[in-house]
Amino acid sequence: MSAMYEKLVDILVNHFAVDRGKITPEATFEELKMDSLFLVEFLLVIQSEFDVKLDDDAATLTDTIGHVARLLEDQTKATAQ
Amino acid sequence: MTAPSPVAVTGLGLVTAAGIGVEETWEGVCRGRSAAARDPRLEGLPVDISCTVPGLDPARHVGRRSPLMHDRFIQLAIVAAREAVADCGLDPDTWDGARVGVVVGCGLGGIGTMETQHRRLLESGPESVSALLLPMLVPNMVAGHLAIDLRATGPNFVTATACASGGTAIGTAASLLRDGSCDVVLAGGTEANVTPLMVTGFNQMGALSRRVDEPEAASRPFDQDRDGFVIGEGSGILVLEREADAAARGARVRARLAGYGASADAHHITAPEPEGASVLRAVHTALGQAGAGPHEIRHVNAHGTSTPLNDAVEARMLRRLTGDGAAVTSTKGVLGHTLGAAGAIEAALTVLAVERSTIPPTANLRHQDPALELDIVTGEPREEKVEVAMSNSFGFGGQNAVLIFTPGS
């Protein structure tokens, strides 16, 4: 998987006490027991971590970790150009 | 007037500067040595001492996500409530949660979280502020978290009467049993506001002891050299049931909550009313419910903050009420002043004193203020049968809560 995905996994494990073993690119936030407030907090943390701007509705509970990783990759590429 | 139906205390939970757990706290309080110490969180402030709960690991004691979502005042209450529920012998997995209420006293809420997030706002802008700020800050969240943790879906709220909050919660909880709203109530208090801003605020109003070079001697209720309180943190939770219900299920009744009285001074925003007239009204209400007279009081767990004014006014009131017939103690000598938790922690310690016929000593009472003509327990715990015990709590704002405990039958 991408380096970005691996960084998101670290954040989920270290900030949100998610079991590393349960995280896959296809896992949804809901499946990782991230409720709506935790998801908002997660989006705030990654925006600050990667210095990007995401919309409030950039991800929902039924989205996957892989989806957010791709979103961030697109954002950081766009910023780099 | 018929006496209200009696309420039984069937479970206790304590988290204090003397330790995590009822027995750890009881041993510490009976040892009579102050838990006050220098506090690194207060480094650089004029008063940098506190009574802090030792060794609490939220991820281990509460849950893996606790550090993310709970302010410390909530963590302390969850640990105390789980202990109390385990002690009472009821099982949250099988109880009828709709009949279980939660009433928790809390003076301030998650001020530590607010201070951290406010700093982030000023230093790094609005996008750096946590989405969990509000659920960690507002005081009522502690009752909400206990409901979630223990599947208690009955009446659920927080009482705020400053340093009387815990006593107010327990007294109010008894009403929920008597009016039939609940069959079980988890009642108590919690506070964890040993933060730079709160300590500064208390110091600016002259309430804190300045004996910072000798922290273990700073909290000295009723001593002639007392100069203010030492801020503490902690939580105390009691499980209350109607006595008939407790008897029907064969529960161990640790003591009976026999009476509660509340009143307001309407005198001054922070200073107690000098004659203690409103406190006495609360005492007489509580005694009336208990069907006891003032001279039957054998033990008082005093509010006893170690401020010059509180201890003088309270001692005068107690002298008028009981003569020298009651063995008085202030456990704040050991535990410091835990603000909204104090009334609940001290209620639990009063229950233990009644149950065990043992009155803990007041720490640091070396020279009893000669103006305070009371029988204050000092040095060693005193073995004495206690038929009627009183726990006093007084809050800034002039709010008073008085609880009467008697032995369980």
Side-chain angles (χ1 to χ4, degrees):
Chain A
M1 255 342 272
S2 69
M4 182 63 81
Y5 169 79
E6 295 302 334
K7 285 181 189 166
L8 292 186
V9 171
D10 285 343
I11 290 172
L12 284 167
V13 171
N14 298 331
H15 287 249
F16 296 91
V18 178
D19 275 335
R20 193 177 287 275
K22 291 198 175 136
I23 308 174
T24 66
E26 293 76 37
T28 65
F29 290 101
E30 211 162 34
E31 286 162 353
L32 299 176
K33 299 206 176 344
M34 292 281 286
D35 68 14
S36 56
L37 212 45
F38 283 7
L39 180 59
V40 173
E41 184 76 356
F42 177 71
L43 293 175
L44 289 172
V45 169
I46 61 178
Q47 289 180 85
S48 147
E49 188 81 10
F50 302 112
D51 196 21
V52 294
K53 184 85 192 88
L54 297 174
D55 292 334
D56 289 349
D57 57 357
T60 68
L61 290 174
T62 51
D63 284 324
T64 64
I65 313 306
H67 163 80
V68 176
R70 283 189 295 277
L71 204 67
L72 281 172
E73 280 157 9
D74 293 347
Q75 278 273 340
T76 44
K77 266 186 223 147
T79 317
Q81 279 162 0
Chain B
M1 189 183 91
T2 54
S5 61
V7 168
V9 181
T10 56
L12 294 179
L14 283 171
V15 179
T16 70
I20 298 169
V22 168
E23 293 310 323
E24 289 79 356
T25 296
W26 178 250
E27 281 167 26
V29 164
C30 285
R31 214 175 291 128
R33 275 204 299 275
S34 176
R38 277 268 158 75
D39 188 333
R41 293 175 295 181
L42 305 176
E43 196 180 339
L45 296 178
V47 172
D48 60 356
I49 60 175
S50 72
C51 289
T52 304
V53 174
L56 184 88
D57 176 357
R60 190 165 64 87
H61 288 105
V62 184
R64 286 179 61 197
R65 277 186 170 162
S66 177
L68 172 71
M69 59 192 284
H70 297 138
D71 185 273
R72 193 168 168 88
F73 81 107
I74 295 168
Q75 293 166 343
L76 300 182
I78 290 175
V79 175
R82 286 178 187 166
E83 184 186 24
V85 170
D87 182 45
C88 82
L90 291 168
D91 182 357
D93 287 334
T94 55
W95 68 18
D96 179 3
R99 302 293 302 160
V100 181
V102 178
V103 188
V104 183
C106 181
L108 291 157
I111 303 293
T113 296
M114 192 178 76
E115 287 180 34
T116 305
Q117 297 300 323
H118 187 234
R119 205 174 308 123
R120 281 202 203 173
L121 173 68
L122 298 180
E123 290 172 2
S124 310
E127 277 149 14
S128 67
V129 173
S130 171
L132 295 158
L133 163 61
L134 264 300
M136 290 173 80
L137 165 67
V138 288
N140 69 295
M141 285 304 298
V142 64
H145 275 293
L146 293 189
I148 294 167
D149 196 65
L150 295 161
R151 236 177 44 81
T153 55
N156 185 288
F157 54 92
V158 158
T159 58
T161 52
C163 305
S165 301
T168 303
I170 291 166
T172 304
S175 305
L176 295 177
L177 294 168
R178 289 183 177 130
D179 72 15
S181 304
C182 299
D183 296 333
V184 177
V185 187
L186 314 183
T190 187
E191 202 83 78
N193 280 296
V194 185
T195 74
L197 185 62
M198 290 302 100
V199 170
T200 300
F202 282 118
N203 189 43
Q204 293 294 84
M205 68 196 294
L208 298 182
S209 170
R210 309 275 169 95
R211 205 182 292 268
V212 294
D213 293 327
E214 222 187 342
E216 67 289 346
S219 182
R220 43 197 319 127
F222 304 115
D223 191 273
Q224 67 181 10
D225 298 321
R226 68 190 183 278
D227 72 332
F229 73 78
V230 173
I231 193 166
E233 59 176 15
S235 178
I237 303 286
L238 284 64
V239 179
L240 305 178
E241 302 172 63
R242 283 179 296 273
E243 200 162 59
D245 296 349
R249 72 177 184 89
R252 176 175 63 152
V253 176
R254 306 200 67 163
R256 177 189 280 178
L257 171 57
Y260 165 61
S263 66
D265 284 356
H267 167 70
H268 184 268
I269 52 172
T270 57
E273 191 271 306
E275 295 307 312
S278 289
V279 172
L280 276 172
R281 272 194 296 116
V283 171
H284 286 298
T285 302
L287 284 171
Q289 282 184 12
H295 288 281
E296 292 177 71
I297 299 171
R298 283 290 163 269
H299 167 47
V300 179
N301 189 312
H303 189 55
T305 56
S306 176
T307 65
L309 196 55
N310 173 83
D311 293 5
V313 170
E314 186 176 18
R316 199 158 54 230
M317 181 279 291
L318 289 174
R319 175 76 193 180
R320 272 171 57 196
L321 184 75
T322 65
D324 59 3
V328 177
T329 197
S330 168
T331 41
K332 289 187 177 79
V334 172
L335 303 177
H337 189 357
T338 57
L339 312 174
I345 291 171
E346 290 156 20
L349 293 170
T350 309
V351 167
L352 292 168
V354 168
E355 180 190 62
R356 298 174 178 187
S357 301
T358 302
I359 299 165
T362 301
N364 291 320
L365 185 62
R366 298 201 186 125
H367 306 287
Q368 183 168 333
D369 186 335
L372 314 181
E373 299 169 289
L374 290 176
D375 173 18
I376 302 173
V377 181
T378 182
E380 297 292 313
R382 187 185 297 178
E383 307 291 323
E384 188 172 323
K385 182 104 186 95
V386 177
E387 292 294 347
V388 178
M390 178 166 80
S391 176
N392 290 337
S393 300
F394 314 133
F396 283 165
Q399 287 145 351
N400 309 307
V402 174
L403 299 167
I404 301 286
F405 293 96
T406 58
S409 45

